[in-house]
Amino acid sequence: MALEDFAAQADRCSQCSYCKWIPFDQVKSWRFAKNCPSIAYHNFNSYSARGRYAVTRSLLHGDSAYTDTVRDIAYTCLTCGACDVSCKVCRYNLDPLEMVRELKFRLVEDGQCLDEHLAVIRSLRSDQNTMQQPSSARGAWAEGLDVPLLPADKAEVLFHAGCRFSFDRSLHKTVRAAVTLLRGAGVDIGIMGDWEMCCAGRVYAMGYRDEFERMARANIAAWTRAGVKTVVTSCADGYHAFKRLYPELGSQIEVLHTVEYIARLIEQGRLAFRSEVPMTVTYHDPCHLGRQGEPYVPWDGVEKKIKGQIITYEPPKPRYNGAWGIYDPPREILRSIPGVELVEMERIREYSWCCGAGGGVREAYPEYSSWVASERIEEAKATGAEAMVSACPWCERNFMDAIDAKGETMQVYDIVDLVQRAIAGEA
Ligand code: SF4
Ligand code: SF4
């Protein structure tokens, strides 16, 4: 699509501001009723989905030119998708998340980039990762694991560690545990080590569509050459890219997040917990595993108007409103671990508040990114939980950094860390 394809949507946006709040029937308190971190932080309408429709309309009509403010408005969007869920409560014919993505694509195409993002792009081009690290260090997380190394070795299931897990040493234990416990349950699993490449989901969210497509096609070709049938990842960004975006480029490989695989193994009786993990935890739904983790449904149809005003789609258009994301497997896992008590935050599932790490915001606006994480930590503290559990290294890193910066005592875990404790018999 092109930005021009969103011109009609920009006209249709009723400026109702519903996109700034979780749906009203979901509100439990005023404190945690907002859903859009961008408008909550900047407190100015242009920084909401509603405002970004207005900016898009203005650019398309030639009423605005590119300015630092226009760039700021576009790039401070986390592309978390919370606005999209709320807008779609009442409307079928607006896609604010897709609109803002298209706005970023256009800015990049027109050379309106941010220096902080260009550093990431240079790293992607030279070393196939977003972390500005040498590609030769990518597989170090798996040292000594004795796991099949594709493509030289063969395995039906490929474990994709992703950039954050591969280069963030303090998170290595999580991916090592994930591979170890899947192998221990008899899964024919391998890794690509230094040959693994970025999923490119993060650069897609920054607006670099061409870079995303180049990397996605390279990944699909590598998996096909290696004979991989299933890709498993513990990264929500990677999951979204592989599950939701790659099929648009022809990928037919099965994609699972680790939590889906583990939930399946528990149900089949192939993972047994040996000890209690006495802990009260709350679960943070990553945007890219939850509301954006819905399966891709191809649509090739036309938009029609009935009686001059009612918009319909023929055939009916798939409606991505977050309801079919991955919400139950992580909660089923946590409830099945002896000793773990799960207490929920006010904004959960498709109504979750973002961690603040997405859309290129962590890279370009660290202070704002940290504030978004702090807001979620406040919500977690209000539950009485002693730990936040999630299923994405980007969320976990952003929470850990915000906790350190504020001297908080809240613990942060990946769900795999707790599964590993219960299996290995560590209390
Ligand atoms: S984007 Fe949707 S929810 Fe937001 S103001 Fe426009 S119509 Fe209302
Ligand atoms: S995607 Fe997230 S940050 Fe961007 S406008 Fe929507 S709710 Fe706000």
Side-chain angles (χ1 to χ4, degrees):
M1 291 183 84
L3 194 60
E4 286 71 11
D5 296 324
F6 289 86
Q9 288 199 15
D11 288 343
R12 265 181 230 150
C13 168
S14 62
Q15 301 286 301
C16 66
S17 284
Y18 210 59
C19 49
K20 299 172 185 173
W21 306 90
I22 60 172
F24 297 151
D25 65 343
Q26 300 292 327
V27 172
K28 295 168 189 76
S29 75
W30 168 252
R31 175 67 181 87
F32 301 118
K34 292 177 180 171
N35 70 345
C36 171
S38 168
I39 181 71
Y41 182 79
H42 295 91
N43 200 22
F44 190 72
N45 186 54
S46 298
Y47 291 82
S48 66
R50 167 185 162 177
R52 291 182 175 105
Y53 265 131
V55 168
T56 292
R57 191 170 188 274
S58 182
L59 285 170
L60 290 174
H61 286 227
D63 296 333
S64 305
Y66 291 135
T67 61
D68 286 348
T69 306
V70 166
R71 273 190 292 277
D72 204 45
I73 288 166
Y75 289 123
T76 49
C77 174
L78 290 143
T79 57
C80 69
C83 52
D84 212 77
V85 170
S86 289
C87 183
K88 284 185 168 69
V89 168
C90 308
R91 292 166 193 83
Y92 294 80
N93 58 6
L94 291 184
D95 304 288
L97 175 58
E98 292 307 318
M99 174 275 297
V100 81
R101 282 199 174 121
E102 210 59 53
L103 178 59
K104 290 191 185 188
F105 294 152
R106 176 59 59 86
L107 287 184
V108 168
E109 282 161 18
D110 289 348
Q112 302 295 319
C113 309
L114 298 182
D115 288 346
E116 295 85 350
H117 292 173
L118 286 172
V120 174
I121 297 302
R122 278 195 291 276
S123 169
L124 191 72
R125 287 177 184 157
S126 63
D127 287 283
Q128 296 80 50
N129 70 70
T130 56
M131 304 281 290
Q132 298 165 58
Q133 297 291 323
S135 56
S136 57
R138 188 169 188 117
W141 66 270
E143 244 167 49
L145 274 188
D146 188 28
V147 59
L149 195 58
L150 279 61
D153 300 326
K154 292 287 166 228
E156 280 203 0
V157 179
L158 171 68
F159 183 83
H160 180 96
C163 296
R164 173 54 66 182
F165 270 132
S166 295
F167 295 107
D168 191 328
R169 294 191 68 83
S170 67
L171 300 177
H172 283 181
K173 61 179 188 331
T174 300
V175 266
R176 290 176 68 85
V179 169
T180 304
L181 68 88
L182 289 172
R183 284 196 89 198
V187 179
D188 178 21
I189 199 162
I191 61 170
M192 283 200 163
D194 291 349
W195 295 105
E196 184 184 288
M197 294 177 280
C198 174
C199 68
R202 291 185 70 77
V203 298
Y204 183 86
M206 290 175 191
Y208 291 81
R209 177 161 42 193
D210 289 352
E211 296 295 334
F212 164 77
E213 288 196 10
R214 183 179 64 79
M215 196 56 70
R217 290 188 196 286
N219 270 315
I220 295 167
W223 298 343
T224 305
R225 272 198 306 276
V228 169
K229 293 197 170 66
T230 302
V231 174
V232 180
T233 183
S234 290
C235 175
D237 275 17
Y239 178 82
H240 170 255
F242 301 153
K243 179 92 176 184
R244 175 70 184 82
L245 303 177
Y246 281 28
E248 295 188 51
L249 301 174
S251 176
Q252 296 182 335
I253 291 171
E254 182 189 33
V255 178
L256 293 170
H257 190 280
T258 312
V259 292
E260 292 177 283
Y261 220 123
I262 291 175
R264 188 190 283 180
L265 293 174
I266 292 171
E267 198 185 319
Q268 293 170 348
R270 292 164 66 188
L271 276 185
F273 298 130
R274 292 196 191 91
S275 73
E276 287 208 354
V277 182
M279 199 182 284
T280 304
V281 305
T282 190
Y283 178 72
H284 167 76
D285 289 284
C287 305
H288 287 104
L289 184 63
R291 56 180 162 253
Q292 294 192 48
E294 297 176 313
Y296 169 69
V297 181
W299 182 75
D300 185 15
V302 289
E303 180 180 304
K304 289 192 173 172
K305 243 182 199 178
I306 300 174
K307 298 185 185 297
Q309 59 175 355
I310 301 167
I311 306 293
T312 63
Y313 299 97
E314 290 180 13
K317 202 175 175 183
R319 187 172 174 223
Y320 296 110
N321 63 350
W324 307 107
I326 307 301
Y327 305 114
D328 293 326
R331 290 176 168 80
E332 284 162 11
I333 294 169
L334 288 170
R335 290 193 182 105
S336 71
I337 298 175
V340 167
E341 187 190 348
L342 173 65
V343 288
E344 295 280 16
M345 287 183 270
E346 291 190 15
R347 295 170 291 190
I348 58 170
R349 301 173 75 98
E350 63 263 48
Y351 315 116
S352 288
W353 179 263
C354 173
C355 74
V361 165
R362 180 179 160 91
E363 292 79 356
Y365 304 94
E367 206 172 303
Y368 157 48
S369 173
S370 180
W371 177 85
V372 179
S374 297
E375 281 293 286
R376 191 59 160 165
I377 293 160
E378 287 301 316
E379 189 174 352
K381 280 163 59 183
T383 66
E386 62 202 279
M388 297 173 79
V389 180
S390 196
C392 177
W394 295 97
C395 303
E396 289 151 17
R397 171 47 60 208
N398 228 36
F399 291 142
M400 286 190 263
D401 288 352
I403 286 167
D404 284 351
K406 292 190 111 186
E408 303 270 8
T409 54
M410 178 69 74
Q411 300 291 306
V412 178
Y413 295 102
D414 189 284
I415 200 162
V416 169
D417 302 335
L418 301 192
V419 170
Q420 173 67 6
R421 277 201 198 188
I423 288 176
E426 300 164 14

